[in-house]
Amino acid sequence: MFKIKEMNLYKTTDRFLNNYNHLKRILKREPSIEEISQIDQLHYNGIEAVEEAIIKTKIKKNSLVLDIGSGIGGPARYIASKTNSTLYAIEIQKELNDIAKKLTLTYKLNKFIHHIAADILTFNFKELKFDSIVSWLALYHIPNRKKLLKNLYKLLNVNGYIYVEDFYLKKKLISDEKINLSKKFHANHLVEFKYYQNELINNKFEILEFTDMSEDWTKFTKSRLEKFKKNYNKYIQINNKVTTDNVLSFYELAYELLSNEVLGGIRYVAKKK
């Protein structure tokens, strides 16, 4: 299996702090949580998608929330700032987790958020049980779906919620295409729409919502790509050409996969019975 650093999106991670510092210089002050969302929300539709998770999983002040594949901590910080809930944010890439911790400390949200650099399949949460589990564009990276869902079920309180945005497979792939997707998109578990539903049902989750986001995400990735190309020279000045080309290449790939209907998008809410 290829390492996640094979993805062009993560080959150069120093760009996150470069972009943050650039925004800070332009504003001549600390960016607000909303303003930094253009940098620290690595999924689609930014804080709008995080608001959905807060509402749909009923996150409030006393909630204990687990964020899987938490990246540089954008969703966790937004949730904490809006709800004062307690979050455990687990991220397999140490470089991203280190940036997340730095930014969380900057925004004085460290009393609400526990950042963990670890693999969700192997990390021991001991006796912790969560009211909500959230994840954006991360679960398709994880190869052992059976073990993952078993872990998530165990980690949830009874009547606890799970909110996930993820990819599903729209087009049958030959072996070489699967290898290419694994390397460039770190796609290690891609199944068809109905099969995805059945995995949840077979692991005792009650599906409350299951929405096809393919059209929405195709529009988003197209708009993101066009905006990035328009600001290409500016991004080179903030970072460098190698970093900028890596991100551009990944944005092109994401749009290509969605627009050519190789992949589709899913947003779902489920509950532990």
Side-chain angles (χ1 to χ4, degrees):
M1 190 172 70
F2 296 101
K3 292 183 178 179
I4 198 164
K5 290 284 284 184
E6 296 276 350
M7 289 174 70
N8 281 328
L9 188 65
Y10 298 127
K11 281 181 178 174
T12 45
T13 54
D14 57 352
R15 77 177 193 279
F16 296 116
L17 290 179
N18 290 345
N19 292 340
Y20 161 76
N21 288 326
H22 176 75
L23 180 59
K24 191 176 175 180
R25 281 194 299 272
I26 289 172
L27 296 172
K28 297 180 181 176
R29 58 171 171 80
E30 201 74 61
S32 68
I33 288 290
E34 286 78 11
E35 286 166 337
I36 197 182
S37 69
Q38 60 185 283
I39 296 164
D40 68 3
Q41 305 288 336
L42 307 184
H43 53 274
Y44 302 154
N45 295 320
I47 56 177
E48 179 188 319
V50 186
E51 282 283 1
E52 280 284 318
I54 292 171
I55 294 164
K56 296 291 174 64
T57 72
K58 301 179 182 177
I59 298 171
K60 50 190 183 295
K61 187 176 181 180
N62 296 324
S63 298
L64 190 59
V65 182
L66 174 62
D67 180 4
I68 299 171
S70 50
I72 61 169
R77 281 188 294 276
Y78 187 83
I79 293 169
S81 71
K82 293 298 175 183
T83 67
N84 287 344
S85 56
T86 300
L87 292 103
Y88 282 75
I90 187 165
E91 169 56 51
I92 201 166
Q93 297 186 73
K94 184 180 183 300
E95 298 98 324
L96 297 189
N97 195 67
D98 287 346
I99 295 168
K101 286 166 77 171
K102 183 180 176 69
L103 290 173
T104 293
L105 192 60
T106 298
Y107 284 89
K108 298 180 173 60
L109 290 167
N110 46 303
K111 68 177 180 178
F112 298 108
I113 304 170
H114 306 275
H115 287 287
I116 304 162
D119 186 338
I120 186 63
L121 293 181
T122 56
F123 186 75
N124 184 4
F125 286 94
K126 297 180 180 175
E127 301 304 313
L128 276 178
K129 296 274 188 180
F130 296 92
D131 302 301
S132 300
I133 295 176
V134 295
S135 182
W136 287 269
L137 307 186
L139 298 194
Y140 81 102
H141 293 318
I142 302 169
N144 192 337
R145 183 57 56 97
K146 189 174 181 181
K147 184 176 182 182
L148 173 66
L149 291 176
K150 188 177 178 182
N151 282 7
L152 300 194
Y153 191 85
K154 183 181 174 184
L155 286 167
L156 267 182
N157 282 319
V158 175
N159 294 319
Y161 294 93
I162 178 169
Y163 175 102
V164 170
E165 296 194 5
D166 202 13
F167 293 105
Y168 74 93
L169 192 62
K170 273 193 164 185
K171 175 184 170 185
K172 290 194 183 300
L173 302 176
I174 60 173
S175 180
D176 285 352
E177 289 173 320
K178 286 180 182 177
I179 292 168
N180 196 40
L181 262 186
S182 181
K183 182 177 182 181
K184 293 185 175 180
F185 213 64
H186 204 61
N188 298 310
H189 185 85
L190 286 172
V191 295
E192 293 174 3
F193 193 84
K194 190 66 181 173
Y195 191 93
Y196 200 123
Q197 284 182 310
N198 289 337
E199 285 180 326
L200 292 166
I201 294 164
N202 292 340
N203 282 277
K204 305 178 189 174
F205 285 101
E206 178 188 355
I207 298 174
L208 304 178
E209 292 183 25
F210 205 82
T211 308
D212 193 325
M213 299 297 292
S214 303
E215 186 178 346
D216 181 280
W217 290 3
T218 302
K219 288 177 184 173
F220 177 89
T221 52
K222 182 182 181 182
S223 174
R224 179 180 68 172
L225 178 58
E226 288 171 349
K227 184 179 176 183
F228 194 85
K229 284 180 175 177
K230 187 177 177 182
N231 292 287
Y232 179 80
N233 290 328
K234 183 186 88 171
Y235 289 124
I236 288 176
Q237 290 172 354
I238 297 169
N239 294 286
N240 55 55
K241 191 173 188 305
V242 171
T243 297
T244 305
D245 285 344
N246 280 339
V247 176
L248 176 60
S249 175
F250 184 81
Y251 285 177
E252 286 173 336
L253 176 63
Y255 174 60
E256 179 189 322
L257 291 170
L258 285 161
S259 61
N260 290 340
E261 298 192 343
V262 176
L263 300 184
I266 292 175
R267 170 189 284 171
Y268 66 84
V269 183
K271 194 174 183 180
K272 180 173 177 175
K273 296 177 186 177

